[in-house]
Amino acid sequence: MSLKDALNNPQINRDEVSLFEEMVKYFRGNYSAAVIDQTHKHSVSFNAVKPYENWGTVTKEISDVFFIVFSEKRRIARMTHLQAKFRKGQYNRTRIPQFKFHLDAGQYHLLSNRLSISDPLEVYPWDILSFPLYSDSVASYGVFYSNAYNQIEMAYEISSLLSSGSRKLFTKKDDKPLYQFATLDSKYGYVNKNLSMLNQTLSNEFKDWMCYYYCVIRNGVCYELLSTLDTNTFEHELMKLHVGTRFEFNSNHLSHLCAFFEAQQKSNNVVGKFRLFTNAMLRNNDNFPDEWYEQMRYLNNNYPPFTERTLGNQEGKEGVYVLIDADGINE
């Protein structure tokens, strides 16, 4: 069975909540995975930036599902905060030139700009989105829709590629504007809004290490999935570790997220393998030249942590955390 098969189960209602729950159920049952369901919406706070400074401190859900996929064999881990949406009506790409859907303005502002956050649940470090060496694939949207054959698909695109097609500003942080995908084709590449700043401050040796290894840019070929309208492509690339930003070089985040999963499901075999993977990466990272660590610290100092913790009501849809061992796929 594939994810697309699961989403097209005739017993599943065709609405956002039902399809989202079926997706999570599929990953739990068909892969070597640890899935944590929270009973409360996972909201974080952030300071809005230009041109929305008047919003001040904003509280929004960071994502519907947080994916971490790792491989001991390939010594790689990727993650993405995916926000799930539902597009009503059938979509025929041969007749409709753009793939559009409604999103939440404040949440889009957070994810597309990769802002620093304050997390009252202390699951995420303040720079989980804003860490400058991460690609924009750290934040993404998954949109369920019905194709021309009335089959349910899940489209995927990283947040920073989405656009409104106009320069009209949001009226308020709770607006539900219509946004569109950058392309109707499956697109690969590498996008990092911080790249211009990185190019100015990093040594050539550090950039070679970062871009040609950790961003998986080799021989001019980029291996991050940036956009697709095809569910099978998303699932295949997720398991091939081509979805989300690489993060195994960030020792702080690696340790923090591993500890979170251990606190929730310590006896889970996948969590145990993630600890072994984490320890191996920490030992590997100890071999980095001291000047590389200095450059990473310098870069992160450009993104001061957001410390205010005044949050609104956290009642709402569940946040889900999915940890997948790409080496242990259930056949």
mmCIF file of all heavy atoms in Angstrom, residues 13-51:
data_model
loop_
_atom_site.group_PDB
_atom_site.id
_atom_site.type_symbol
_atom_site.label_atom_id
_atom_site.label_comp_id
_atom_site.label_asym_id
_atom_site.label_seq_id
_atom_site.Cartn_x
_atom_site.Cartn_y
_atom_site.Cartn_z
ATOM 1 N N ASN A 13 -13.397 10.008 4.993
ATOM 2 C CA ASN A 13 -14.056 11.243 4.569
ATOM 3 C C ASN A 13 -13.064 12.158 3.855
ATOM 4 O O ASN A 13 -11.877 12.186 4.191
ATOM 5 C CB ASN A 13 -14.638 11.989 5.774
ATOM 6 C CG ASN A 13 -15.801 11.267 6.403
ATOM 7 O OD1 ASN A 13 -16.521 10.513 5.736
ATOM 8 N ND2 ASN A 13 -15.989 11.470 7.697
ATOM 9 N N ARG A 14 -13.554 12.896 2.893
ATOM 10 C CA ARG A 14 -12.699 13.795 2.130
ATOM 11 C C ARG A 14 -12.729 15.197 2.752
ATOM 12 O O ARG A 14 -13.336 16.126 2.217
ATOM 13 C CB ARG A 14 -13.119 13.816 0.669
ATOM 14 C CG ARG A 14 -12.877 12.477 -0.026
ATOM 15 C CD ARG A 14 -12.998 12.567 -1.513
ATOM 16 N NE ARG A 14 -12.445 11.377 -2.155
ATOM 17 C CZ ARG A 14 -12.179 11.291 -3.448
ATOM 18 N NH1 ARG A 14 -12.412 12.321 -4.247
ATOM 19 N NH2 ARG A 14 -11.674 10.179 -3.958
ATOM 20 N N ASP A 15 -12.075 15.319 3.869
ATOM 21 C CA ASP A 15 -11.923 16.613 4.535
ATOM 22 C C ASP A 15 -10.533 16.651 5.158
ATOM 23 O O ASP A 15 -9.851 15.626 5.276
ATOM 24 C CB ASP A 15 -13.003 16.827 5.594
ATOM 25 C CG ASP A 15 -12.992 15.748 6.677
ATOM 26 O OD1 ASP A 15 -12.061 15.752 7.509
ATOM 27 O OD2 ASP A 15 -13.901 14.898 6.688
ATOM 28 N N GLU A 16 -10.100 17.830 5.551
ATOM 29 C CA GLU A 16 -8.722 18.025 6.014
ATOM 30 C C GLU A 16 -8.381 17.158 7.216
ATOM 31 O O GLU A 16 -7.336 16.491 7.249
ATOM 32 C CB GLU A 16 -8.490 19.499 6.361
ATOM 33 C CG GLU A 16 -7.074 19.796 6.855
ATOM 34 C CD GLU A 16 -6.871 21.251 7.208
ATOM 35 O OE1 GLU A 16 -7.435 22.120 6.512
ATOM 36 O OE2 GLU A 16 -6.142 21.519 8.183
ATOM 37 N N VAL A 17 -9.246 17.139 8.217
ATOM 38 C CA VAL A 17 -8.951 16.403 9.442
ATOM 39 C C VAL A 17 -8.853 14.905 9.167
ATOM 40 O O VAL A 17 -7.909 14.237 9.603
ATOM 41 C CB VAL A 17 -10.019 16.685 10.517
ATOM 42 C CG1 VAL A 17 -9.793 15.790 11.737
ATOM 43 C CG2 VAL A 17 -9.969 18.153 10.937
ATOM 44 N N SER A 18 -9.814 14.349 8.428
ATOM 45 C CA SER A 18 -9.825 12.913 8.156
ATOM 46 C C SER A 18 -8.614 12.487 7.337
ATOM 47 O O SER A 18 -7.976 11.465 7.623
ATOM 48 C CB SER A 18 -11.104 12.514 7.429
ATOM 49 O OG SER A 18 -12.252 12.807 8.200
ATOM 50 N N LEU A 19 -8.276 13.255 6.316
ATOM 51 C CA LEU A 19 -7.135 12.911 5.463
ATOM 52 C C LEU A 19 -5.820 13.051 6.219
ATOM 53 O O LEU A 19 -4.910 12.230 6.062
ATOM 54 C CB LEU A 19 -7.132 13.792 4.214
ATOM 55 C CG LEU A 19 -8.286 13.546 3.240
ATOM 56 C CD1 LEU A 19 -8.329 14.628 2.174
ATOM 57 C CD2 LEU A 19 -8.160 12.166 2.581
ATOM 58 N N PHE A 20 -5.728 14.080 7.061
ATOM 59 C CA PHE A 20 -4.529 14.256 7.874
ATOM 60 C C PHE A 20 -4.351 13.079 8.833
ATOM 61 O O PHE A 20 -3.252 12.517 8.966
ATOM 62 C CB PHE A 20 -4.601 15.561 8.658
ATOM 63 C CG PHE A 20 -3.456 15.758 9.607
ATOM 64 C CD1 PHE A 20 -2.206 16.146 9.151
ATOM 65 C CD2 PHE A 20 -3.625 15.541 10.970
ATOM 66 C CE1 PHE A 20 -1.148 16.325 10.027
ATOM 67 C CE2 PHE A 20 -2.579 15.712 11.852
ATOM 68 C CZ PHE A 20 -1.330 16.111 11.374
ATOM 69 N N GLU A 21 -5.420 12.686 9.499
ATOM 70 C CA GLU A 21 -5.348 11.561 10.428
ATOM 71 C C GLU A 21 -4.977 10.272 9.708
ATOM 72 O O GLU A 21 -4.219 9.451 10.228
ATOM 73 C CB GLU A 21 -6.682 11.407 11.154
ATOM 74 C CG GLU A 21 -6.966 12.535 12.145
ATOM 75 C CD GLU A 21 -8.319 12.400 12.798
ATOM 76 O OE1 GLU A 21 -9.148 11.582 12.314
ATOM 77 O OE2 GLU A 21 -8.572 13.117 13.790
ATOM 78 N N GLU A 22 -5.496 10.087 8.498
ATOM 79 C CA GLU A 22 -5.173 8.894 7.727
ATOM 80 C C GLU A 22 -3.699 8.907 7.315
ATOM 81 O O GLU A 22 -3.050 7.845 7.303
ATOM 82 C CB GLU A 22 -6.065 8.808 6.493
ATOM 83 C CG GLU A 22 -5.927 7.511 5.695
ATOM 84 C CD GLU A 22 -6.355 6.283 6.490
ATOM 85 O OE1 GLU A 22 -7.130 6.423 7.468
ATOM 86 O OE2 GLU A 22 -5.914 5.161 6.129
ATOM 87 N N MET A 23 -3.168 10.066 6.972
ATOM 88 C CA MET A 23 -1.752 10.165 6.620
ATOM 89 C C MET A 23 -0.868 9.764 7.799
ATOM 90 O O MET A 23 0.073 8.980 7.647
ATOM 91 C CB MET A 23 -1.408 11.589 6.174
ATOM 92 C CG MET A 23 0.070 11.782 5.849
ATOM 93 S SD MET A 23 0.498 13.480 5.343
ATOM 94 C CE MET A 23 0.312 14.354 6.911
ATOM 95 N N VAL A 24 -1.163 10.283 8.974
ATOM 96 C CA VAL A 24 -0.378 9.949 10.161
ATOM 97 C C VAL A 24 -0.498 8.463 10.482
ATOM 98 O O VAL A 24 0.494 7.790 10.799
ATOM 99 C CB VAL A 24 -0.826 10.805 11.362
ATOM 100 C CG1 VAL A 24 -0.118 10.356 12.635
ATOM 101 C CG2 VAL A 24 -0.548 12.282 11.091
ATOM 102 N N LYS A 25 -1.713 7.925 10.382
ATOM 103 C CA LYS A 25 -1.936 6.496 10.614
ATOM 104 C C LYS A 25 -1.125 5.654 9.639
ATOM 105 O O LYS A 25 -0.551 4.617 10.019
ATOM 106 C CB LYS A 25 -3.431 6.189 10.458
ATOM 107 C CG LYS A 25 -3.798 4.713 10.621
ATOM 108 C CD LYS A 25 -5.297 4.514 10.400
ATOM 109 C CE LYS A 25 -5.663 3.035 10.441
ATOM 110 N NZ LYS A 25 -7.119 2.842 10.179
ATOM 111 N N TYR A 26 -1.032 6.103 8.400
ATOM 112 C CA TYR A 26 -0.279 5.370 7.377
ATOM 113 C C TYR A 26 1.202 5.310 7.728
ATOM 114 O O TYR A 26 1.821 4.239 7.662
ATOM 115 C CB TYR A 26 -0.473 6.032 6.015
ATOM 116 C CG TYR A 26 0.433 5.471 4.948
ATOM 117 C CD1 TYR A 26 0.125 4.268 4.304
ATOM 118 C CD2 TYR A 26 1.617 6.119 4.587
ATOM 119 C CE1 TYR A 26 0.965 3.734 3.336
ATOM 120 C CE2 TYR A 26 2.451 5.601 3.617
ATOM 121 C CZ TYR A 26 2.130 4.402 3.003
ATOM 122 O OH TYR A 26 2.963 3.872 2.049
ATOM 123 N N PHE A 27 1.781 6.433 8.108
ATOM 124 C CA PHE A 27 3.203 6.437 8.434
ATOM 125 C C PHE A 27 3.490 5.610 9.690
ATOM 126 O O PHE A 27 4.524 4.954 9.793
ATOM 127 C CB PHE A 27 3.705 7.868 8.608
ATOM 128 C CG PHE A 27 3.955 8.563 7.299
ATOM 129 C CD1 PHE A 27 3.148 9.612 6.881
ATOM 130 C CD2 PHE A 27 4.992 8.162 6.473
ATOM 131 C CE1 PHE A 27 3.368 10.244 5.666
ATOM 132 C CE2 PHE A 27 5.226 8.787 5.250
ATOM 133 C CZ PHE A 27 4.415 9.822 4.849
ATOM 134 N N ARG A 28 2.569 5.628 10.628
ATOM 135 C CA ARG A 28 2.742 4.831 11.843
ATOM 136 C C ARG A 28 2.713 3.334 11.532
ATOM 137 O O ARG A 28 3.473 2.558 12.105
ATOM 138 C CB ARG A 28 1.641 5.180 12.850
ATOM 139 C CG ARG A 28 1.682 4.315 14.116
ATOM 140 C CD ARG A 28 0.505 4.623 15.017
ATOM 141 N NE ARG A 28 0.699 5.829 15.783
ATOM 142 C CZ ARG A 28 -0.174 6.815 15.886
ATOM 143 N NH1 ARG A 28 -1.311 6.749 15.235
ATOM 144 N NH2 ARG A 28 0.064 7.873 16.624
ATOM 145 N N GLY A 29 1.844 2.934 10.609
ATOM 146 C CA GLY A 29 1.646 1.507 10.363
ATOM 147 C C GLY A 29 2.499 0.910 9.273
ATOM 148 O O GLY A 29 2.645 -0.316 9.204
ATOM 149 N N ASN A 30 3.101 1.731 8.416
ATOM 150 C CA ASN A 30 3.799 1.195 7.252
ATOM 151 C C ASN A 30 5.289 1.482 7.225
ATOM 152 O O ASN A 30 5.982 1.032 6.311
ATOM 153 C CB ASN A 30 3.166 1.748 5.969
ATOM 154 C CG ASN A 30 1.780 1.186 5.726
ATOM 155 O OD1 ASN A 30 1.624 0.122 5.124
ATOM 156 N ND2 ASN A 30 0.761 1.889 6.214
ATOM 157 N N TYR A 31 5.782 2.204 8.221
ATOM 158 C CA TYR A 31 7.208 2.490 8.291
ATOM 159 C C TYR A 31 7.727 2.235 9.702
ATOM 160 O O TYR A 31 6.951 2.145 10.647
ATOM 161 C CB TYR A 31 7.496 3.938 7.877
ATOM 162 C CG TYR A 31 7.308 4.179 6.400
ATOM 163 C CD1 TYR A 31 6.158 4.793 5.922
ATOM 164 C CD2 TYR A 31 8.268 3.768 5.483
ATOM 165 C CE1 TYR A 31 5.972 4.998 4.569
ATOM 166 C CE2 TYR A 31 8.091 3.973 4.123
ATOM 167 C CZ TYR A 31 6.942 4.586 3.667
ATOM 168 O OH TYR A 31 6.756 4.784 2.319
ATOM 169 N N SER A 32 9.031 2.128 9.805
ATOM 170 C CA SER A 32 9.673 2.024 11.103
ATOM 171 C C SER A 32 9.676 3.418 11.710
ATOM 172 O O SER A 32 10.559 4.237 11.413
ATOM 173 C CB SER A 32 11.107 1.490 10.925
ATOM 174 O OG SER A 32 11.747 1.355 12.162
ATOM 175 N N ALA A 33 8.659 3.702 12.519
ATOM 176 C CA ALA A 33 8.422 5.085 12.935
ATOM 177 C C ALA A 33 7.999 5.181 14.387
ATOM 178 O O ALA A 33 7.398 4.266 14.952
ATOM 179 C CB ALA A 33 7.353 5.720 12.046
ATOM 180 N N ALA A 34 8.322 6.324 14.982
ATOM 181 C CA ALA A 34 7.807 6.713 16.293
ATOM 182 C C ALA A 34 6.909 7.917 16.073
ATOM 183 O O ALA A 34 7.351 8.928 15.519
ATOM 184 C CB ALA A 34 8.942 7.065 17.242
ATOM 185 N N VAL A 35 5.647 7.808 16.464
ATOM 186 C CA VAL A 35 4.676 8.876 16.253
ATOM 187 C C VAL A 35 4.157 9.343 17.602
ATOM 188 O O VAL A 35 3.700 8.541 18.416
ATOM 189 C CB VAL A 35 3.501 8.401 15.371
ATOM 190 C CG1 VAL A 35 2.487 9.530 15.190
ATOM 191 C CG2 VAL A 35 4.017 7.933 14.010
ATOM 192 N N ILE A 36 4.259 10.631 17.841
ATOM 193 C CA ILE A 36 3.793 11.214 19.097
ATOM 194 C C ILE A 36 2.619 12.133 18.796
ATOM 195 O O ILE A 36 2.749 13.081 18.017
ATOM 196 C CB ILE A 36 4.920 12.002 19.795
ATOM 197 C CG1 ILE A 36 6.096 11.079 20.115
ATOM 198 C CG2 ILE A 36 4.407 12.669 21.062
ATOM 199 C CD1 ILE A 36 7.326 11.814 20.606
ATOM 200 N N ASP A 37 1.478 11.838 19.402
ATOM 201 C CA ASP A 37 0.293 12.679 19.254
ATOM 202 C C ASP A 37 0.155 13.557 20.488
ATOM 203 O O ASP A 37 0.111 13.055 21.611
ATOM 204 C CB ASP A 37 -0.975 11.823 19.112
ATOM 205 C CG ASP A 37 -0.956 10.954 17.868
ATOM 206 O OD1 ASP A 37 -0.563 11.470 16.812
ATOM 207 O OD2 ASP A 37 -1.332 9.775 17.958
ATOM 208 N N GLN A 38 0.114 14.859 20.298
ATOM 209 C CA GLN A 38 -0.111 15.782 21.399
ATOM 210 C C GLN A 38 -1.596 16.097 21.499
ATOM 211 O O GLN A 38 -2.290 16.191 20.493
ATOM 212 C CB GLN A 38 0.678 17.070 21.195
ATOM 213 C CG GLN A 38 2.190 16.869 21.195
ATOM 214 C CD GLN A 38 2.728 16.417 22.534
ATOM 215 O OE1 GLN A 38 2.947 15.225 22.757
ATOM 216 N NE2 GLN A 38 2.916 17.339 23.433
ATOM 217 N N THR A 39 -2.077 16.301 22.708
ATOM 218 C CA THR A 39 -3.501 16.579 22.899
ATOM 219 C C THR A 39 -3.819 18.059 22.746
ATOM 220 O O THR A 39 -4.977 18.449 22.778
ATOM 221 C CB THR A 39 -3.956 16.105 24.288
ATOM 222 O OG1 THR A 39 -3.144 16.748 25.284
ATOM 223 C CG2 THR A 39 -3.817 14.595 24.408
ATOM 224 N N HIS A 40 -2.788 18.893 22.612
ATOM 225 C CA HIS A 40 -3.012 20.323 22.429
ATOM 226 C C HIS A 40 -2.269 20.809 21.199
ATOM 227 O O HIS A 40 -1.223 20.290 20.836
ATOM 228 C CB HIS A 40 -2.546 21.119 23.652
ATOM 229 C CG HIS A 40 -3.312 20.829 24.894
ATOM 230 N ND1 HIS A 40 -4.569 21.334 25.124
ATOM 231 C CD2 HIS A 40 -3.004 20.073 25.964
ATOM 232 C CE1 HIS A 40 -4.995 20.911 26.299
ATOM 233 N NE2 HIS A 40 -4.070 20.148 26.828
ATOM 234 N N LYS A 41 -2.826 21.828 20.597
ATOM 235 C CA LYS A 41 -2.175 22.476 19.468
ATOM 236 C C LYS A 41 -0.826 23.017 19.918
ATOM 237 O O LYS A 41 -0.687 23.553 21.008
ATOM 238 C CB LYS A 41 -3.066 23.609 18.953
ATOM 239 C CG LYS A 41 -2.492 24.380 17.785
ATOM 240 C CD LYS A 41 -3.511 25.338 17.206
ATOM 241 C CE LYS A 41 -3.944 26.395 18.194
ATOM 242 N NZ LYS A 41 -4.859 27.377 17.575
ATOM 243 N N HIS A 42 0.191 22.858 19.067
ATOM 244 C CA HIS A 42 1.529 23.332 19.417
ATOM 245 C C HIS A 42 1.727 24.734 18.851
ATOM 246 O O HIS A 42 2.132 24.911 17.713
ATOM 247 C CB HIS A 42 2.589 22.374 18.877
ATOM 248 C CG HIS A 42 3.935 22.605 19.476
ATOM 249 N ND1 HIS A 42 4.899 21.638 19.543
ATOM 250 C CD2 HIS A 42 4.491 23.700 20.047
ATOM 251 C CE1 HIS A 42 5.977 22.120 20.122
ATOM 252 N NE2 HIS A 42 5.750 23.387 20.434
ATOM 253 N N SER A 43 1.433 25.729 19.690
ATOM 254 C CA SER A 43 1.579 27.122 19.281
ATOM 255 C C SER A 43 2.909 27.680 19.765
ATOM 256 O O SER A 43 3.431 27.287 20.809
ATOM 257 C CB SER A 43 0.444 27.973 19.843
ATOM 258 O OG SER A 43 -0.798 27.586 19.290
ATOM 259 N N VAL A 44 3.451 28.608 19.001
ATOM 260 C CA VAL A 44 4.677 29.298 19.374
ATOM 261 C C VAL A 44 4.460 30.798 19.188
ATOM 262 O O VAL A 44 3.532 31.224 18.492
ATOM 263 C CB VAL A 44 5.887 28.838 18.524
ATOM 264 C CG1 VAL A 44 6.143 27.353 18.725
ATOM 265 C CG2 VAL A 44 5.672 29.152 17.034
ATOM 266 N N SER A 45 5.313 31.599 19.812
ATOM 267 C CA SER A 45 5.245 33.049 19.652
ATOM 268 C C SER A 45 6.410 33.538 18.807
ATOM 269 O O SER A 45 7.495 32.953 18.823
ATOM 270 C CB SER A 45 5.280 33.749 21.016
ATOM 271 O OG SER A 45 4.082 33.558 21.710
ATOM 272 N N PHE A 46 6.181 34.639 18.083
ATOM 273 C CA PHE A 46 7.239 35.234 17.280
ATOM 274 C C PHE A 46 6.953 36.716 17.093
ATOM 275 O O PHE A 46 5.817 37.170 17.268
ATOM 276 C CB PHE A 46 7.362 34.542 15.915
ATOM 277 C CG PHE A 46 6.120 34.609 15.067
ATOM 278 C CD1 PHE A 46 5.940 35.631 14.134
ATOM 279 C CD2 PHE A 46 5.124 33.659 15.198
ATOM 280 C CE1 PHE A 46 4.792 35.700 13.351
ATOM 281 C CE2 PHE A 46 3.968 33.711 14.422
ATOM 282 C CZ PHE A 46 3.804 34.737 13.495
ATOM 283 N N ASN A 47 7.976 37.467 16.775
ATOM 284 C CA ASN A 47 7.825 38.887 16.479
ATOM 285 C C ASN A 47 7.717 39.063 14.970
ATOM 286 O O ASN A 47 8.618 38.659 14.224
ATOM 287 C CB ASN A 47 9.017 39.684 17.000
ATOM 288 C CG ASN A 47 9.036 39.772 18.515
ATOM 289 O OD1 ASN A 47 7.985 39.783 19.151
ATOM 290 N ND2 ASN A 47 10.219 39.820 19.098
ATOM 291 N N ALA A 48 6.633 39.649 14.502
ATOM 292 C CA ALA A 48 6.441 39.878 13.072
ATOM 293 C C ALA A 48 7.479 40.877 12.561
ATOM 294 O O ALA A 48 7.934 41.757 13.293
ATOM 295 C CB ALA A 48 5.036 40.397 12.804
ATOM 296 N N VAL A 49 7.856 40.725 11.298
ATOM 297 C CA VAL A 49 8.859 41.601 10.683
ATOM 298 C C VAL A 49 8.215 42.377 9.532
ATOM 299 O O VAL A 49 7.051 42.172 9.196
ATOM 300 C CB VAL A 49 10.070 40.778 10.176
ATOM 301 C CG1 VAL A 49 10.770 40.096 11.343
ATOM 302 C CG2 VAL A 49 9.637 39.736 9.142
ATOM 303 N N LYS A 50 8.983 43.272 8.934
ATOM 304 C CA LYS A 50 8.475 44.118 7.845
ATOM 305 C C LYS A 50 7.780 43.276 6.781
ATOM 306 O O LYS A 50 8.264 42.199 6.433
ATOM 307 C CB LYS A 50 9.625 44.891 7.204
ATOM 308 C CG LYS A 50 10.240 45.941 8.107
ATOM 309 C CD LYS A 50 11.344 46.694 7.376
ATOM 310 C CE LYS A 50 11.938 47.772 8.277
ATOM 311 N NZ LYS A 50 13.021 48.511 7.587
ATOM 312 N N PRO A 51 6.646 43.762 6.275
ATOM 313 C CA PRO A 51 5.966 45.038 6.577
ATOM 314 C C PRO A 51 4.860 44.899 7.612
ATOM 315 O O PRO A 51 3.893 45.664 7.590
ATOM 316 C CB PRO A 51 5.405 45.418 5.212
ATOM 317 C CG PRO A 51 5.027 44.100 4.608
ATOM 318 C CD PRO A 51 6.061 43.106 5.098
#
